[in-house]
Amino acid sequence: MGRNTYFLIAIVWTILVGIACLIDASSIPTVSGWNIPNKDKIVHFTFYFVFSVLWSKYLLFDKKRKTGKIYLMVFVSASLFGILIELLQYYCTVSRGAEWGDVAANCSGSFLGLLCVSVFTTKKK
């Protein structure tokens, strides 16, 4: 994939995460028989795992930048985006609430996503 493709996919993913986290909770379909504990935390973790992988792949594409700074920038951006979403849920939605556990899941997903990118990028070299 080219750099522009990563950028487009990262933008679309970011918008979809924002929409998914801010839509009315009653409009989210439920799957009967799937009684997984903490499934919302798994969803948050996955959202930010993919978010961090996509943005880091885009930003590291030209390989002229310092990878440590890119990883830090992506992690901080993902964390701040997750906190912003939680604040918007608390102050701007009726059917959603802010949870520190969601922030922790977001940060954990981001960290593991960046760790995976780092490991797989290093193995390719």
Side-chain angles (χ1 to χ4, degrees):
M1 277 196 287
R3 186 170 196 257
N4 291 336
T5 304
Y6 279 116
F7 179 72
L8 180 62
I9 294 170
I11 289 289
V12 169
W13 184 260
T14 302
I15 291 168
L16 288 175
V17 167
I19 291 170
C21 291
L22 295 173
I23 61 172
D24 185 18
S26 64
S27 66
I28 299 172
T30 57
V31 179
S32 60
W34 283 48
N35 201 8
I36 302 170
N38 299 312
K39 63 185 161 208
D40 67 318
K41 303 305 179 259
I42 296 168
V43 170
H44 279 269
F45 180 92
T46 304
F47 279 171
Y48 286 84
F49 180 95
V50 174
F51 177 99
S52 295
V53 168
L54 291 172
W55 281 110
S56 64
K57 293 294 280 180
Y58 163 70
L59 292 169
L60 291 169
F61 195 82
D62 60 12
K63 298 178 184 157
K64 294 177 184 172
R65 300 177 182 180
K66 305 264 188 217
T67 56
K69 287 184 180 181
I70 296 293
Y71 292 146
L72 180 61
M73 184 174 67
V74 171
F75 180 76
V76 169
S77 298
S79 299
L80 291 175
F81 182 67
I83 291 168
L84 174 66
I85 292 293
E86 292 302 311
L87 290 172
L88 289 172
Q89 285 180 339
Y90 184 78
Y91 289 109
C92 300
T93 66
V94 177
S95 64
R96 299 294 196 114
E99 294 182 34
W100 284 111
D102 291 346
V103 173
N106 299 344
C107 293
S108 299
S110 176
F111 181 79
L112 190 59
L114 292 169
L115 184 62
C116 287
V117 169
S118 176
V119 167
F120 289 115
T121 302
T122 304
K123 283 189 177 187
K124 278 186 178 178
K125 293 179 183 176

